[in-house]
């Protein structure tokens, strides 16, 4: 099997599953219990929180574990807007993940004014538009750090600077960015940042939200004292332990792994461009997650390509996993100006830790053949 859908989810690293299994076998205590059984589990949570905070240059007390990246996004946006009842305006971009876009739509129904900052042909947001959109009623700006479909990286530092001058908190969805680029909340200047473990070889169903100390935000789930009373509910202890370990592994592997993946991706990109005609590369040529490749294959339906590749056990995607299967073409590709039929011909290949040189060679052999065959079939049908 050749798995090229690492932006949808990643295989759990064996070191992570081992740590989680060991933990589950030996620890069942409730981390809130005051006796040793609970305290022991609490120690594991502290260790994981430390691991995640280190990866962001944050403090341990600024990390709140959640149930997913989606929950972190919801928590950030709703938590900030609810904490600022006098300010009913929210600014985001047109290429956010559904976790942000659908939260924004929900807020619009409740009377919040949402402004969607447009992007250029490479998926970079229009900073002048953003500046113009800010009013004294703006409660929050949320712009993703790196896009899940085309990999474009946004100028978050500049956005945070603009926002800071006007005293507006900034949230960034860094779910795709973690592990693929350096992250430091102080360098970026953001106040809130979302993460998810399953994109970094950790388990599913566990995320985190960084909240800068002093940020005015209301709790997301009410109940017990967990997560400093911001997100109540007995913790997903094994998930948190796995998340902590996955982040530790990222730090251990450092830039070497990133460079290896980027080199493979570059080879794949070049190879596709050399071997297949009538294609279009989507995403920023430079400021992009280099392991994310998005191509349009003119005249074809992405789903046909995806299914043909799947018969060869090569797994790619037609865009965001969350919108896969929907009739409509990707809002991200629409936002960068692609015609619906071109958008519908687009395939995302996202590389990760377990991809090899052999994988790339196999894809470069199979993909051009598949595209040629599909094009021949569609010409015959015309
Ligand atoms: N934000 C981005 C940019 C994503 O790519 C994803 C997952 O695809 C999410 C948020 C949602 O994360 P989760 O799957 O943990 O809910």
């Amino acid at each position: 099997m050749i798995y090229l859908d690492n932006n949808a989810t990643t295989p759990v690293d064996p070191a992570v599953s081992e740590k989680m299994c060991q933990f589950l076998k030996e620890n069942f205590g409730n981390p809130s219990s005051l006796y040793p059984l609970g305290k022991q589990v609490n120690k594991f949570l502290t260790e994981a929180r430390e691991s995640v905070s280190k990866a962001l240059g944050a403090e341990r007390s600024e990390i709140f574990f959640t149930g997913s990246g989606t929950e972190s996004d919801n928590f950030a946006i709703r938590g900030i807007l609810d904490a600022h009842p006098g300010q009913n305006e929210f600014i985001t971009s047109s290429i956010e993940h559904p976790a942000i876009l659908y939260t924004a739509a929900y807020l619009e129904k409740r009377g919040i004014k949402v402004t969607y900052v447009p992007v250029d042909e490479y998926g970079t947001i229009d900073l002048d538009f953003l500046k113009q959109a800010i009013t004294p009623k703006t409660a929050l700006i949320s712009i993703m750090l790196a896009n899940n479909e085309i990999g474009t990286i946004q100028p978050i530092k500049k956005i945070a600077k603009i926002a800071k001058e006007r005293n507006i908190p900034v949230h960034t969805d860094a779910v795709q960015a973690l592990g693929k680029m350096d992250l430091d909340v102080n360098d970026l200047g953001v106040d809130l940042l979302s993460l998810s473990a399953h994109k970094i070889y950790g388990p599913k169903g566990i995320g985190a939200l960084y909240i800068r100390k002093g940020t005015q935000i209301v709790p997301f789930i009410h109940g017990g004292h967990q997560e400093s009373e911001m997100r109540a509910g007995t913790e997903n202890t094994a998930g948190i332990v796995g998340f902590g370990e996955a982040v530790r592994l990222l730090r251990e592997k450092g830039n070497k792994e990133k460079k290896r993946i980027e080199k493979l991706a570059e080879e794949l990109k070049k190879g596709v461009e050399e071997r297949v005609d009538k294609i279009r590369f989507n995403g920023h040529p430079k400021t992009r997650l280099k392991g994310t490749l998005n191509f349009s294959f003119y005249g074809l339906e992405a789903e046909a390509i995806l299914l043909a590749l799947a018969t060869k056990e090569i797994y790619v995607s037609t865009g965001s996993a969350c919108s896969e299967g929907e009739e409509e073409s990707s809002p991200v590709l629409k936002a960068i100006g692609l015609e619906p039929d071109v958008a519908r011909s687009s395939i995302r290949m996202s590389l990760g830790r377990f991809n090899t040189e052999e994988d790339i060679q196999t894809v470069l052999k199979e993909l051009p053949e598949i595209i040629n065959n599909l094009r021949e079939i569609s010409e015959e049908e015309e």
Side-chain angles (χ1 to χ4, degrees):
M1 170 182 91
I2 299 175
Y3 185 73
L4 290 181
D5 201 9
N6 288 275
N7 284 14
T9 195
T10 53
V12 176
D13 192 286
V16 172
S17 46
E18 201 166 302
K19 176 125 186 179
M20 288 176 72
C21 288
Q22 185 88 9
F23 169 83
L24 279 169
K25 274 186 215 156
E26 293 170 6
N27 300 277
F28 74 90
N30 187 323
S32 298
S33 301
L34 295 177
Y35 41 80
L37 213 61
K39 287 209 157 154
Q40 192 179 311
V41 173
N42 207 8
K43 254 177 80 179
F44 275 96
L45 301 193
T46 304
E47 206 179 278
R49 209 180 300 278
E50 175 80 21
S51 175
V52 175
S53 67
K54 259 194 194 163
L56 302 178
E59 290 184 23
R60 217 163 54 206
S61 61
E62 295 174 312
I63 303 298
F64 298 84
F65 287 114
T66 64
S68 59
T70 300
E71 186 187 315
S72 300
D73 287 345
N74 272 262
F75 183 177
I77 299 172
R78 285 157 61 184
I80 294 285
L81 277 136
D82 283 350
H84 298 81
Q87 294 169 282
N88 61 353
E89 294 184 11
F90 169 51
I91 299 174
T92 187
S93 83
S94 54
I95 59 154
E96 299 293 317
H97 187 269
I100 300 279
L101 292 178
Y102 282 76
T103 306
Y106 163 78
L107 291 173
E108 276 184 300
K109 278 195 200 128
R110 293 182 50 209
I112 302 289
K113 182 182 170 226
V114 182
T115 305
Y116 299 89
V117 181
V119 295
D120 65 14
E121 61 185 307
Y122 300 123
T124 309
I125 71 149
D126 183 337
L127 277 178
D128 288 330
F129 186 102
L130 172 83
K131 273 189 215 159
Q132 298 293 327
I134 296 172
T135 81
K137 290 204 158 181
T138 306
L140 177 70
I141 298 173
S142 175
I143 305 285
M144 75 196 320
L145 192 44
N147 185 265
N148 42 305
E149 289 187 45
I150 55 174
T152 300
I153 297 169
Q154 300 299 339
I156 294 297
K157 265 168 121 166
K158 287 187 186 156
I159 295 165
K161 193 166 171 280
I162 293 166
K164 201 165 196 164
E165 283 163 6
R166 294 155 176 88
N167 225 0
I168 301 165
V170 172
H171 166 251
T172 192
D173 177 337
V175 166
Q176 290 295 344
L178 181 62
K180 300 177 188 131
M181 56 188 279
D182 289 337
L183 286 189
D184 184 301
V185 286
N186 295 315
D187 183 45
L188 290 170
V190 295
D191 303 290
L192 304 111
L193 180 145
S194 300
L195 300 175
S196 178
H198 75 101
K199 310 285 184 182
I200 57 153
Y201 318 97
K204 293 171 192 29
I206 182 76
L209 180 65
Y210 156 79
I211 307 175
R212 186 177 291 281
K213 208 188 288 166
T215 304
Q216 273 183 40
I217 182 165
V218 300
F220 191 61
I221 299 182
H222 304 274
H225 301 299
Q226 297 89 354
E227 298 303 301
S228 311
E229 300 187 3
M230 295 298 284
R231 198 267 186 186
T234 301
E235 298 87 341
N236 172 2
T237 51
I240 293 173
V241 167
F243 193 1
E245 179 66 4
V247 174
R248 191 193 65 74
L249 284 174
L250 280 184
R251 277 206 314 279
E252 190 181 276
K253 294 184 186 292
N255 257 344
K256 210 168 142 198
E257 167 169 280
K258 185 173 155 270
K259 285 209 176 106
R260 190 188 71 86
I261 294 170
E262 289 182 356
K263 197 165 157 255
L264 289 180
E266 188 53 32
E267 194 183 326
L268 179 56
K269 180 174 181 288
K270 269 202 182 136
V272 172
E273 284 167 344
E274 279 164 15
R275 289 168 177 78
V276 187
D277 61 359
K278 289 182 269 170
I279 58 172
R280 180 200 145 99
F281 182 76
N282 302 311
H284 199 284
K286 287 202 186 104
T287 323
R288 175 174 59 84
L289 299 176
K290 300 286 189 321
T292 301
L293 304 176
N294 192 308
F295 283 107
S296 304
F297 297 90
Y298 292 110
L300 295 178
E301 287 290 331
E303 214 168 300
I305 307 172
L306 182 147
L307 294 175
L309 283 168
T311 63
K312 307 278 180 189
E313 294 195 310
I314 299 171
Y315 300 116
V316 301
S317 116
T318 57
S320 156
C322 304
S323 46
E324 198 118 38
E326 282 181 14
E327 281 288 305
E328 280 216 3
S329 57
S330 146
V332 174
L333 299 180
K334 198 172 152 193
I336 63 169
L338 263 60
E339 292 296 327
D341 60 328
V342 179
R344 278 200 312 275
S345 76
S346 308
I347 287 287
R348 177 186 72 186
M349 296 183 274
S350 46
L351 281 72
R353 178 172 296 167
F354 302 107
N355 287 123
T356 62
E357 173 66 38
E358 207 185 328
D359 290 350
I360 303 307
Q361 292 311 323
T362 308
V363 176
L364 286 178
K365 181 180 163 290
E366 301 289 353
L367 182 67
E369 277 178 31
I370 285 172
I371 299 296
N372 283 340
N373 288 342
L374 289 172
R375 281 194 173 138
E376 271 172 26
I377 294 168
S378 80
E379 272 164 26
E380 278 165 19
E381 280 172 356
E382 271 169 14

